[in-house]
Amino acid sequence: MAVLFLVVLLACDRMAPWPVQDDSVPEDERIAVSPALLDFGALSVNLIGDATRTLTIYNLGDTDVTVTGHDEPLGDDEVFRVESQPVLVIAGGESLDVEVSFVPSTDEDYLARLRFEPGSELVELRGSGTAPVLRTEDAEISPTVLGCTGDGTVIVENRGSEALIVDPSSSGDEFALVGWTRDVAPGASMEIGVAFTPSGGGSRSGLLSVATNDPARPVATVELSGLGYEGERVTERFVYAPAAPTDVIFAVEGGLYAGDERVEPAVEAYATQMHDAGIELNATSVSSAGACEGPAPRYSEPGDSALRLEAVLMHGFEGAGGGFDGDLVGLIADVLLESDPGGCLADFRREDASLDIVIIAESAPVDDPLPDFTALVEGLPDGTRVRVGVLVPSGPECGSGGEAYAALAERFNGAIGDNCAGAWEAGFTAFAALPTVTREVRYPLAELPVPSTLALSADGAPATGWSWDAGSNELVIDAETHPDVGAELSVTYVSAVSCSP
């Protein structure tokens, strides 16, 4: 009866290989396995994950048979799994079901075989996994000058048969992602845009991480590498000598100094020292011909270069004499009058600024200048700091015409220089040494810097308590945390360049 049942079963379900007489296997140890092919078809790795099919092992003999080998697939053994003990005992004329699972890991066709002993029965296992498959290419990033942002791309390709979902991110402050497509169709590709903003020169590196639904590669990393190169490196020097905003008037006895070789070096020393100290300075220089004589510009303003300040200061020394030759205090009063709205020096005088006077004279004043100057000072806003420096003849060989002006310097805390000296730099350097105050100091930079390259030292040591004001392009020294007064500040940076193509 059992034999008749097996014949009917084999007529309905193809079995392969058909049992063949094998002299090496005793008749009472013959087995058959059905079906000969397990085809799992196409299986979505992400959506379905796995499938199970059943094999049946038949004992064709009358006695017990021991079956082995069936739990060890040959081929793609990592995706086909047999749920069975490694040794099976099947009674004579009986059968046993064995479950086989297919667990694909990526988009691929898989093939394996099961060999059953005794008899070397073979069963073929087939199946296909469907999934997105990520492929990335190396990043291509253009070399970029400091202060600019370069472009780069990373190509992402989907070589699978299902849609690829991409979620990229980058590490490193110098690299930013600027555009990508979240879904990539099978067989398609897309570009992840990378913006590269180097903070220093040389090779810069970062990392792109791409999270995906590719089951075999859920996270991919791509090295980001770009070359940053520097523009012009700039060094500027200042002297930390914080002073109040100051308006300076050079009152010069005219017609005496045009072509005098002592003037230009002294004026250059004064202008350089004032500029390097970062003083909020308005400065004018007039000859005794009058406040409105001489070429434009009539006064310098905060932020002007040392060369512009020097050119303004030269005006008084190159001007002619005139009605104020013996009354330079009157000339100063004329300057203040012309500072009112509508005057030739309109807006020169700032009510909240200190007033610094420098008198250059060889002749004695017609009248004692002290009473007139004292009255002039009393007419200024309360609390205005006034200082007077003078350069007048000193010593018997030069005469004593400047004694009256020297009294102004003694009264108003200024320096006295010798008009008869062979060089004037010492006197002008003293005129430029304004009294220091506790305040924030700003130094305008000559070039626009790449912010990350800014470095400041004070007397050769790294400085603290400073910042950069991008709006005004000024180096800002804090009022509370600051270098020692008189320290030489050195700021270095890479000059930003135009980033236009």
Side-chain angles (χ1 to χ4, degrees):
M1 183 67 179
V3 174
L4 177 63
F5 173 77
L6 178 59
V7 170
V8 173
L9 175 66
L10 296 179
C12 298
D13 190 359
R14 181 178 63 89
M15 293 181 60
W18 181 261
V20 177
Q21 182 67 34
D22 187 342
D23 295 337
S24 65
V25 180
E27 274 297 327
D28 56 354
E29 294 186 7
R30 301 290 296 175
I31 64 171
V33 184
S34 178
L37 169 65
L38 282 186
D39 190 344
F40 290 85
L43 191 67
S44 173
V45 178
N46 288 332
L47 299 179
I48 300 176
D50 62 83
T52 301
R53 301 284 187 271
T54 301
L55 288 172
T56 302
I57 307 172
Y58 299 93
N59 183 352
L60 303 181
D62 296 326
T63 61
D64 292 354
V65 65
T66 300
V67 179
T68 60
H70 58 280
D71 62 328
E72 298 178 353
L74 304 175
D76 295 324
D77 57 334
E78 74 280 0
V79 298
F80 294 104
R81 303 169 187 176
V82 179
E83 306 297 333
S84 173
Q85 295 296 322
V87 177
L88 300 176
V89 177
I90 305 174
E94 300 295 325
S95 64
L96 183 67
D97 290 340
V98 174
E99 291 188 344
V100 180
S101 297
F102 174 48
V103 189
S105 58
T106 188
D107 193 277
E108 190 174 334
D109 294 330
Y110 297 95
L111 176 65
R113 290 179 175 82
L114 293 178
R115 181 184 295 274
F116 295 78
E117 298 293 347
S120 298
E121 290 286 316
L122 290 178
V123 174
E124 188 171 286
L125 308 177
R126 294 180 184 174
S128 298
T130 62
V133 177
L134 170 70
R135 178 182 178 275
T136 58
E137 295 186 3
D138 292 340
E140 294 186 2
I141 299 175
S142 303
T144 304
V145 68
L146 269 64
C148 298
T149 298
D151 297 326
T153 57
V154 175
I155 295 178
V156 172
E157 183 180 356
N158 181 5
R159 292 193 170 183
S161 56
E162 295 182 359
L164 178 71
I165 299 175
V166 176
D167 184 17
S169 61
S170 63
S171 64
D173 294 337
E174 297 170 304
F175 299 90
L177 306 185
V178 294
W180 64 90
T181 301
R182 180 177 179 272
D183 298 323
V184 184
S189 62
M190 67 92 175
E191 293 182 352
I192 299 176
V194 179
F196 172 46
T197 307
S199 60
S203 180
R204 320 299 294 180
S205 61
L207 199 66
L208 170 67
S209 295
V210 184
T212 74
N213 63 335
D214 178 349
R217 198 180 179 191
V219 178
T221 57
V222 178
E223 182 180 351
L224 302 176
S225 179
L227 179 65
Y229 61 96
E230 298 183 354
E232 179 186 4
R233 183 162 287 277
V234 179
T235 299
E236 297 187 54
R237 290 180 171 82
F238 308 98
V239 175
Y240 182 69
T246 302
D247 298 334
V248 175
I249 301 173
F250 271 69
V252 183
E253 185 179 349
L256 302 176
Y257 304 109
D260 191 322
E261 294 181 354
R262 299 173 297 176
V263 174
E264 189 170 344
V267 168
E268 181 181 357
Y270 180 94
T272 300
Q273 184 167 328
M274 282 293 196
H275 178 268
D276 288 354
I279 308 298
E280 292 183 26
L281 191 70
N282 278 0
T284 188
S285 178
V286 295
S287 74
S288 50
C292 294
E293 299 299 321
R298 298 190 183 279
Y299 65 91
S300 69
E301 299 178 90
D304 283 352
S305 66
L307 287 176
R308 180 180 171 88
L309 175 58
E310 183 180 343
V312 169
L313 295 180
M314 289 296 295
H315 290 170
F317 296 93
E318 295 169 347
F324 294 104
D325 286 350
D327 183 17
L328 295 183
V329 171
L331 175 62
I332 295 166
D334 191 34
V335 169
L336 296 178
L337 179 64
E338 292 295 340
S339 298
D340 291 337
C344 66
L345 289 164
D347 300 324
F348 161 73
R349 178 71 187 124
R350 300 167 293 176
E351 289 190 2
D352 59 344
S354 300
L355 182 62
D356 213 67
I357 307 295
V358 178
I359 294 174
I360 313 293
E362 290 187 10
S363 306
V366 174
D367 298 310
D368 182 2
L370 185 57
D372 288 343
F373 192 81
T374 301
L376 183 150
V377 171
E378 290 175 350
L380 297 173
D382 291 343
T384 301
R385 187 197 65 81
V386 178
R387 192 182 72 152
V388 180
V390 300
L391 189 74
V392 293
S394 176
E397 69 278 6
C398 295
S400 56
E403 290 180 354
Y405 289 126
L408 292 179
E410 293 170 356
R411 170 67 177 79
F412 291 96
N413 304 314
I416 301 174
D418 185 2
N419 192 312
C420 294
W424 289 353
E425 286 94 327
F428 276 59
T429 299
F431 300 152
L434 299 182
T436 59
V437 296
T438 301
R439 64 186 295 267
E440 179 185 275
V441 181
R442 291 173 168 261
Y443 301 97
L445 300 181
E447 305 284 346
L448 186 67
V450 175
S452 62
T453 66
L454 277 166
L456 181 69
S457 63
D459 288 337
T464 59
W466 64 276
S467 60
W468 174 63
D469 186 333
S472 60
N473 192 27
E474 292 176 318
L475 189 71
V476 183
I477 307 298
D478 184 71
E480 301 300 327
T481 307
H482 55 74
D484 295 333
V485 173
E488 182 179 82
L489 305 181
S490 177
V491 57
T492 60
Y493 57 89
V494 172
S495 176
V497 300
S498 172
C499 298
S500 300

